[in-house]
Amino acid sequence: MPGPALPTGRAKAPSIFQQPRMDISKGLPATKSHSDLHIWIIENLKMVPVPESAYGNFFEEHCYIILHVPQSPKATQGASSDLHYWIGKTADAKAQDAAGTFTQQLREVLGDATVQHREVQGHESDCFHSYFHGGVIYRKGGLASAVNHVETNLYNVRRLLHIRGKKHMSATEVELSWNSFNKDDIFLLDLGKVMIQWNGPRSSISKKARGLSLTCCLQERERGGRAQIGVVDDQVKATDFMEIMEAVLGCRVGNLYAAIPDGSINQLQKANVRLYHVYEKGEDLVIQELATCPLTQDLLHEEDCYILDQGGFRIYMWQGRMSSTQEKKAAFSRALGFIQAKGYPTCTNVEVVNQGAESAAFKQLFRTWSDQPCRNKHLGGGIGKRNQVKLDAGKLRSQPELAARLRLVDDGSGKVEVWCIQDLGRQPVDPKHHGWLFAGNCYLVLYTYQKMGHVQYILYLWQGHQATTHKIKALHNNAEELDLMYHGALVHEHVTMGSEPPHFLTIFQGQLVVFQGSTGYDGKGQPASATRLFHVQGTDSFNTRTMEVPTRASALNSSDIFLLVTARLCYLWFGKGCSGDQREMARTVATVISKKNKETVLEGQEPPHFWEALGGRAPYSSKKSLPEDVSSFQPRLFECSSPVGQLVLTEVVFFSQDDLDKYDIMLLDTWQEIFLWLGEAASEQKKDAVAWGREYLKTHPAGRSQATPIVLVKQGHEPPTFTGWFFTWDPYKWANKQSYEKVMKGSLGAASAISEIIAGSQDSSENGLELGPKGSSSSTSTCTSCARPMINGGLPREQLMHQAAEDLPEGVDPAQKEFYLSDADFRDIFGKSKEEFYSMAKWKQQQEKKQLGFF
């Protein structure tokens, strides 16, 4: 039932959209065509470009405009752009008005294939944070000139940064005082030539690692890699660094407090969605509640506008392609009016989407979604049929993206082992009966195959609809035992009867039969004799399953094929809507189920004995069951955490393999499957991963099926059905990456160097610090330069290329000769930037260095 109209007063939009302060008359402001990200700061009510070196830095007194235009080769044709306007927490009303005006004008230039976002400092969307892999820096005050947004190699710095966040890190400039510290977070004392990272005593190893990553990023961006980094893990032992910190902050008095919870929104809150119709009635604006979850796409009409409220966490404004220009201009003002009327915080995120350019997050709030045009409310409409993709088994190994889309690691020709869970243990199933499963039982199916010359495993945990809780628990316990036997190399896929993934069907070559009950086999290996009815679904050996159904006429369907096994013979009943491929597969399955004589029966020509065996005639369905259209749903990647016992997901919008970290548990939702990726160092919460997958499905606003397969993937054992969703995948990536512990261990004993730098700075009055007594060099505090040489770029290429170690200029590290090139020379020789080069796998770096004379 539609809810009452929400009073919002006049339909008239505020002046920020009626009186633009600056006209963008020559189209889009100048941008760099090779870049997918463009940022402007609002300065003196004008849009001023921010230099790329300053991306990720935001001054609190300003507003910014951020435009993201997809450039990736994997970006789908017609992919939408994202346009954000960001409001600093102390930005004045004029700057906010100007940002809103420019955003609207830019949207008009960019067209309707643009998603607009309103962002408020400290409450930004995951989409916004996903642009800044090195983290976001909130800087105090305003900016005298955009040209000096960030000066590289600027050492006259003295600030304290509070680093926090999960996958999306941020650093906020706070008061230079011990009062700013807490037990749980990371803090960075930045003194120009020296950066000291202080780790809270209750901070996790993952927080410390991510904090160090942000610190190193700052060192590279703002100091050209020249600053020294110190890390305080234990302030009792780190006497050198603590003396430096106390020289700046004074002596700490009293105990540290716990951090204030960040107020993360859990999945249950995000599941509460409501759709409102927005329209004008006379001079008033009416907002009428239409529906709650699960929502259906046919509620949206192309001539109207709608507000979708996701539990007050985010407000979406959907605009039909036939809605008026005036309505589109008023989108943000209407959304803000709705937020005010509902009593939501002013920092609530707003996303404006146009029909045909909806974000992946918006689409997944609906039970189904088709990219076909939404229907006109006065006309009929429907969802287009799914394009069928035929299997080419030979390409599965060489094209992981094909394997991922078809959900097949191979053609099922690997080794298969099956165990039935009985008496809390596992009993091997005779290979002759591998494809025979019972609804009252649970089974383990171990599949072994080859990938790039290495043996890989998938362990399917199959659960029948009639299985008891004891059997289900025993299924999981036995799976863990097998995993230990294989040293953690098994990929676990949780499968529910009737929702088996394509590869599971493939390994049985179309001969999977699920019987009712939990009875075993007689001496000949056949099910107990009885009149039974089986529903055969599928057209080939890669998609066919046969399920026993109740033996009555109402179970029939004109579009499919059924096998009726009686004491005398086996009937093959062909519905009028079945295809030749279906008939061929049914004949194969019939020989597996019954050795009795077969009699083909066409719908409408059944003999009397056929109906007698079914208990008499009865009405039955003629509706064809079509596969779910999932082509419009894009894969989404989330970081999982449970800070207060409730699942919290942080989305990585433009994801890559770089977003998978050893400390993470990540959830990849491909709509047909849920992957839980377990980092090798995420041992604390690995046991919760499957439960998190189930909670995600249970609380999903679209009313997702609880039978959706859940796949546990361990770092280093990723199947192609997982890696194929990533644009590129380097199987050796993690072998070349130093862990936080190794970085720390490899840099011990250098703390005295920092004291010397500080002392030198004091002598030259660059920092003006008054240090206490110098600490000894035997301190267990840590100093690191993030594995980069102490001096940066600028040496002529002739002094570095093809030179032996003894012939290099003084101070050059022979193992990293290329680093000392100027940025221009580096790009000219290597064809890429230093950042791109060092993000490559180590073996690829070495290969290029050998070829170009830098090894």
Side-chain angles (χ1 to χ4, degrees), residues 297-367:
Q297 189 183 3
D298 60 3
L299 291 166
L300 305 175
H301 302 142
E302 61 181 10
E303 60 268 37
D304 292 329
C305 295
Y306 300 85
I307 284 176
L308 196 157
D309 178 2
Q310 191 177 8
F313 155 71
R314 177 176 296 143
I315 302 301
Y316 292 92
M317 189 78 186
W318 186 89
Q319 302 176 135
R321 62 170 54 90
M322 301 300 292
S323 58
S324 69
T325 302
Q326 206 57 36
E327 284 180 307
K328 291 178 179 178
K329 285 184 177 181
F332 275 117
S333 63
R334 288 179 171 183
L336 294 176
F338 177 83
I339 288 171
Q340 185 177 11
K342 296 286 283 187
Y344 293 153
T346 56
C347 60
T348 300
N349 188 263
V350 175
E351 183 172 310
V352 178
V353 295
N354 295 299
Q355 183 180 354
E358 295 88 354
S359 62
F362 181 84
K363 292 177 183 178
Q364 286 201 14
L365 296 175
F366 292 77
R367 181 181 285 278

Side-chain angles (χ1 to χ4, degrees), residues 391-468:
L391 172 67
D392 184 348
K395 294 183 178 179
L396 291 174
R397 288 187 176 88
S398 61
Q399 298 182 18
E401 65 276 12
L402 180 66
R405 193 168 73 251
L406 298 180
R407 303 167 69 196
L408 296 167
V409 298
D410 64 5
D411 59 1
S413 58
K415 180 183 176 183
V416 182
E417 299 171 80
V418 182
W419 294 270
C420 179
I421 302 301
Q422 292 183 359
D423 301 324
L424 306 184
R426 57 184 182 275
Q427 299 297 323
V429 175
D430 189 320
K432 292 187 297 184
H433 302 137
H434 272 181
W436 287 15
L437 307 180
F438 282 82
N441 289 344
C442 292
Y443 296 84
L444 291 171
V445 179
L446 178 62
Y447 184 76
T448 307
Y449 66 105
Q450 294 274 335
K451 186 182 81 169
M452 297 178 64
H454 298 285
V455 178
Q456 301 286 319
Y457 307 95
I458 299 178
L459 181 64
Y460 291 100
L461 290 75
W462 188 91
Q463 179 181 320
H465 282 166
Q466 301 166 7
T468 63

Side-chain angles (χ1 to χ4, degrees), residues 508-719:
F508 296 113
Q509 297 298 303
Q511 298 180 19
L512 175 68
V513 182
V514 180
F515 298 91
Q516 293 295 313
S518 58
T519 56
Y521 305 100
D522 60 25
K524 296 182 180 180
Q526 295 286 351
S529 61
T531 300
R532 291 186 165 191
L533 184 64
F534 297 88
H535 184 188
V536 184
Q537 297 171 289
T539 56
D540 56 39
S541 59
F542 304 106
N543 65 12
T544 298
R545 69 167 63 84
T546 302
M547 309 280 289
E548 185 177 2
V549 294
T551 310
R552 53 176 177 257
S554 59
L556 299 174
N557 188 308
S558 294
S559 299
D560 291 326
I561 296 175
F562 290 79
L563 305 179
L564 178 60
V565 181
T566 68
R568 291 193 306 108
L569 50 77
C570 175
Y571 292 102
L572 277 80
W573 185 84
F574 293 160
K576 291 178 179 178
C578 68
S579 66
D581 288 337
Q582 285 178 286
R583 294 189 189 102
E584 193 64 32
M585 279 307 302
R587 291 188 179 98
T588 302
V589 173
T591 62
V592 175
I593 292 179
S594 174
K595 302 302 180 184
K596 295 183 175 69
N597 292 332
K598 311 299 187 297
E599 181 177 326
T600 299
V601 176
L602 301 180
E603 183 179 5
Q605 301 177 20
E606 301 87 354
H609 187 265
F610 178 86
W611 295 116
E612 289 173 9
L614 291 176
R617 293 176 181 268
Y620 55 83
S621 174
S622 59
K623 185 177 180 182
K624 191 172 184 66
S625 58
L626 294 172
E628 183 184 11
D629 182 5
V630 298
S631 59
S632 299
F633 290 117
Q634 301 169 25
R636 300 175 69 193
L637 183 71
F638 303 87
E639 177 196 28
C640 301
S641 62
S642 182
V644 290
Q646 292 181 311
L647 178 63
V648 173
L649 297 181
T650 303
E651 185 171 8
V652 182
V653 178
F654 310 100
F655 64 83
S656 68
Q657 188 182 359
D658 289 333
D659 296 306
L660 305 179
D661 188 85
K662 64 183 286 187
Y663 305 105
D664 292 336
I665 295 179
M666 305 295 289
L667 186 151
L668 177 66
D669 180 3
T670 66
W671 198 258
Q672 291 182 301
E673 285 176 311
I674 302 295
F675 291 91
L676 274 302
W677 184 87
L678 311 178
E680 64 181 13
S683 56
E684 299 174 9
Q685 296 180 308
K686 283 182 180 178
K687 65 182 187 305
D688 300 323
V690 175
W692 285 350
R694 291 193 178 120
E695 184 178 348
Y696 173 76
L697 290 170
K698 184 178 180 181
T699 58
H700 199 284
R704 300 281 289 279
S705 168
Q706 301 303 295
T708 303
I710 296 175
V711 189
L712 256 60
V713 177
K714 302 182 188 70
Q715 182 178 354
H717 300 282
E718 296 84 1

